[in-house]
Amino acid sequence: MSAADEIDPASSLYAWLAYDLRFYRQKRGLTGVQVGKIINCVRSHVANLEAGRACIDMDQAKALDKSWDTGGHFQRLLFFARSLHNPDWFRQSTEYEAKARILRIYQGQTIPVPLQTEDYARAVLSMARVEDIEKALLGRMARQELIIGREDHPLIMVLLDQDSLDRPTGGASVMKGQLRRLLELGERSTVSIRVIARSAGWHFGLNGPFQIMSLERRDVAYVGAFRGGRLVQDPAEAREMAVDFELIGAKASSEGESRALIEKLMEGF
C-alpha cells in the first residue's frame, strides 16, 4: 500500500487536498505526467502531492480548477487549509522536526522545547496549568530527544529574545541550570544560539514565535500560538518566513556576544 493509499481525507484539509488531487486524476484517467503538465511540475512531485508530502500552491490550484472545471474546488480547499486551525498541525510539525536537516527557531518569551532542561520544562508546564504535567513532560522530553538526541541531529539555528533569558521561570536555580544548558549546547558545532538584546528594539519576531524546518526537498514552518499554532506548508509562505528569520537575525548579537550575555545573566541568578 502506497502513502497515497493511506491518506485519510477526514484527518485534515491538507489530507483532503491530497486525496482529491488523486481522486480527480484517476477519475479522468490521467497519469502523473499529464497532471504535472497542468500544474507545471514533474511526475515525482505529483506523487508527493498525492501522498501528502507536499502541497499545491494557489497557482496550481487555479490551474487544476480551470483544466478540470471544478468550480474553484481546489482553490477553496487550499484557502481554508491555510486559514483554519487544524488540531493535527502540531503532531505533523513534530514529525517534520524529527526529519529536518536544518531547524531555524525564533522564540521570544520562553526557551524553545529542543533546548529546555527538564526542570525548566516542568516549570513552564506547571504555570500553563497543564493537568497531567508528568505525561506532558515525558512527551516534551521525547520530542527533544528526536531532535537533538540523535547522532545525526539537524543543524539548529536559534534566535532568542533577551526576555526568554532573564525572565525568572521556575526560580533562580532552574534558570541557572537552563542557561548553563544553553551554553553547553552552544559549544556544539551543529547548534547556533544568538540573542536579540532588548536594546535592539522592535523586530519582526515580536509578532510571535515560529520555526522553519528544512527537509530534504522543501521547507515547512510552524507558527506558535497560545493553545495552538499553524503549520505552514505553502512553499511561498515558508520562503517569506525564512526571510523574516534572516531579518530578525540581523538584529541579533553574534554567537560570542550572545554567549557572554548568557554567562552574565547566569551569574545574576
Side-chain angles (χ1 to χ4, degrees):
M1 182 177 290
S2 69
D5 290 320
E6 297 178 352
I7 288 287
D8 177 8
S11 64
S12 73
L13 286 166
Y14 282 106
W16 188 0
L17 264 170
Y19 180 90
D20 273 14
L21 175 60
R22 187 187 193 209
F23 175 80
Y24 279 80
R25 174 182 66 78
Q26 292 179 335
K27 186 176 181 180
R28 285 162 174 74
L30 300 177
T31 65
V33 172
Q34 290 171 313
V35 173
K37 290 180 179 178
I38 295 173
I39 60 176
N40 193 30
C41 68
V42 297
R43 181 198 60 78
S44 60
H45 187 64
V46 174
N48 285 330
L49 292 171
E50 292 185 355
R53 292 187 292 265
C55 182
I56 59 173
D57 59 31
M58 192 57 75
D59 287 338
Q60 291 172 326
K62 290 177 181 177
L64 289 171
D65 286 330
K66 181 178 179 181
S67 178
W68 294 346
D69 191 25
T70 53
H73 172 77
F74 285 95
Q75 293 173 73
R76 284 192 295 274
L77 264 183
L78 181 57
F79 171 80
F80 285 112
R82 288 177 174 178
S83 59
L84 297 181
H85 177 70
N86 185 332
D88 197 43
W89 276 340
F90 179 73
R91 181 193 62 78
Q92 288 179 289
S93 73
T94 58
E95 291 179 358
Y96 288 135
E97 279 181 342
K99 299 176 182 178
R101 295 186 170 187
I102 303 174
L103 191 58
R104 298 177 179 89
I105 303 172
Y106 163 73
Q107 184 68 51
Q109 303 299 317
T110 60
I111 305 299
V113 169
L115 312 183
Q116 290 178 1
T117 64
E118 187 171 327
D119 287 340
Y120 182 92
R122 181 180 284 106
V124 170
L125 292 168
S126 177
M127 288 181 286
R129 296 187 298 176
V130 173
E131 290 186 6
D132 191 338
I133 293 176
E134 294 307 313
K135 179 180 179 181
L137 183 63
L138 284 173
R140 185 162 291 199
M141 293 298 103
R143 175 185 167 197
Q144 184 182 106
E145 184 66 19
L146 288 173
I147 300 171
I148 64 172
R150 66 181 199 263
E151 290 185 3
D152 63 337
H153 79 70
L155 171 63
I156 302 173
M157 305 173 68
V158 183
L159 298 174
L160 298 174
D161 272 343
Q162 185 176 337
D163 284 347
S164 67
L165 302 175
D166 57 17
R167 187 181 301 276
T169 303
S173 62
V174 170
M175 282 304 301
K176 194 165 186 175
Q178 178 60 72
L179 296 181
R180 185 181 297 111
R181 174 63 169 162
L182 293 181
L183 293 174
E184 292 170 353
L185 289 171
E187 293 177 351
R188 299 188 186 186
S189 61
T190 52
V191 178
S192 171
I193 300 174
R194 297 168 61 207
V195 179
I196 304 104
R198 197 171 289 109
S199 59
W202 187 92
H203 58 80
F204 280 97
L206 296 180
N207 291 320
F210 65 93
Q211 66 181 40
I212 303 163
M213 297 154 280
S214 295
L215 308 174
E216 184 175 356
R217 296 177 181 172
R218 64 186 177 119
D219 286 354
V220 295
Y222 187 76
V223 182
F226 185 60
R227 300 190 188 282
R230 182 169 69 91
L231 185 65
V232 177
Q233 300 194 72
D234 177 61
E237 188 174 0
R239 285 194 298 270
E240 289 177 4
M241 294 181 66
V243 172
D244 290 345
F245 187 87
E246 294 300 320
L247 291 172
I248 297 168
K251 293 287 190 83
S253 302
S254 68
E255 290 180 4
E257 292 169 335
S258 299
R259 185 177 185 85
L261 177 58
I262 294 172
E263 289 174 340
K264 180 179 179 180
L265 294 172
M266 187 172 71
E267 291 174 1
F269 285 110

